Amino acid sequence: MSQVIELLKSTNYQISKELLFNYKKLNITDSEFIIIIYLINQNSDIYNPKQIAKDLGLKMNDIL
């Protein structure tokens, strides 16, 4: 989790107000929410699940 905190400190992320206020109603877990925020804020259309897992400190299965 400390890696996530460091990542968030180093980068400004934009989160849609609608997503922020309604993600629980959409049955999205906290981990899924963080992954969605990460993906929305990437500057690439190519995603590397291994890198995402490393950056967010999550298991590869959680990313997949």
Side-chain angles (χ1 to χ4, degrees), residues 7-40:
L7 178 66
L8 291 173
K9 285 181 182 178
S10 68
T11 306
N12 292 321
Y13 283 87
Q14 292 194 14
I15 304 168
S16 143
K17 182 174 152 182
E18 291 297 318
L19 180 59
L20 179 63
F21 291 159
N22 294 296
Y23 83 97
K24 285 294 184 182
K25 292 177 190 172
L26 298 169
N27 292 321
I28 297 172
T29 66
D30 294 342
S31 293
E32 290 169 336
F33 182 65
I34 291 170
I35 294 166
I36 290 169
I37 293 167
Y38 181 93
L39 294 174
I40 288 172

Side-chain angles (χ1 to χ4, degrees), residues 38-63:
Y38 181 93
L39 294 174
I40 288 172
N41 285 277
Q42 292 301 299
N43 294 328
S44 175
D45 292 335
I46 300 171
Y47 302 107
N48 179 340
K50 193 177 221 178
Q51 184 63 47
I52 295 168
K54 181 181 176 189
D55 288 346
L56 298 178
L58 297 171
K59 294 178 184 175
M60 178 72 96
N61 286 343
D62 293 335
I63 303 301

